[in-house]
Amino acid sequence: MKIYVSGSIYGGTQKIDTYKTLIEELEKYGEVLTKIIADPNTIANEVYQKDEDIYEDLEKKLISADILFAEVSIPSLGVGYELGFADKLNKKIIAIYDKNYTEKVTTMIRGNKRITLIPYQRIEEITNNLDKILVE
């Protein structure tokens, strides 16, 4: 299984440790295509790349992915764009959010029945249940 993991970078990297934990666990189920979201140097490293090249690389990865697994606790234009893009490609989409950060996620995610939205208070609530989450 090819897994595209999405999470806020430019919107804020407060959840980077969560991304790391999630990616480590998801790697047991398949190839994680976007490990870069857990790299604290991502923004600094992007200054050496063209925006168009980054976009094209991420677009190819998303097209090839079997599933989009998004951490949506921190509002992010990029994550929202990836969710919409994946939705139009009819990808399986799992969105998780930390109830300690936000009580509600945007209506565009909550209202989309094609997105499985799962709240958590500790990331282990997600990682300990990936067998069930990934097959639903």
Side-chain angles (χ1 to χ4, degrees), residues 24-59:
E24 286 172 6
E25 293 301 313
L26 285 169
E27 284 183 310
K28 296 174 183 175
Y29 296 87
E31 179 187 1
V32 175
L33 304 173
T34 51
K35 296 178 196 176
I36 195 148
I37 71 160
D39 181 348
N41 299 310
T42 296
I43 293 173
N45 292 337
E46 285 185 351
V47 299
Y48 303 107
Q49 300 174 3
K50 292 181 182 178
D51 291 342
E52 295 83 4
D53 293 340
I54 295 168
Y55 173 84
E56 288 174 11
D57 179 59
L58 292 174
E59 180 183 56

Side-chain angles (χ1 to χ4, degrees), residues 21 31 47 62 68 72 77 80 88-89 91 97 115 130-131:
T21 300
E31 179 187 1
V47 299
L62 190 48
L68 169 64
V72 298
L77 292 171
K88 289 302 172 194
L89 293 172
K91 300 290 182 180
Y97 70 97
I115 297 175
L130 285 174
D131 285 340

Side-chain angles (χ1 to χ4, degrees), residues 92 130-136:
K92 179 175 183 168
L130 285 174
D131 285 340
K132 180 182 176 195
I133 292 168
L134 292 172
V135 296
E136 289 182 341

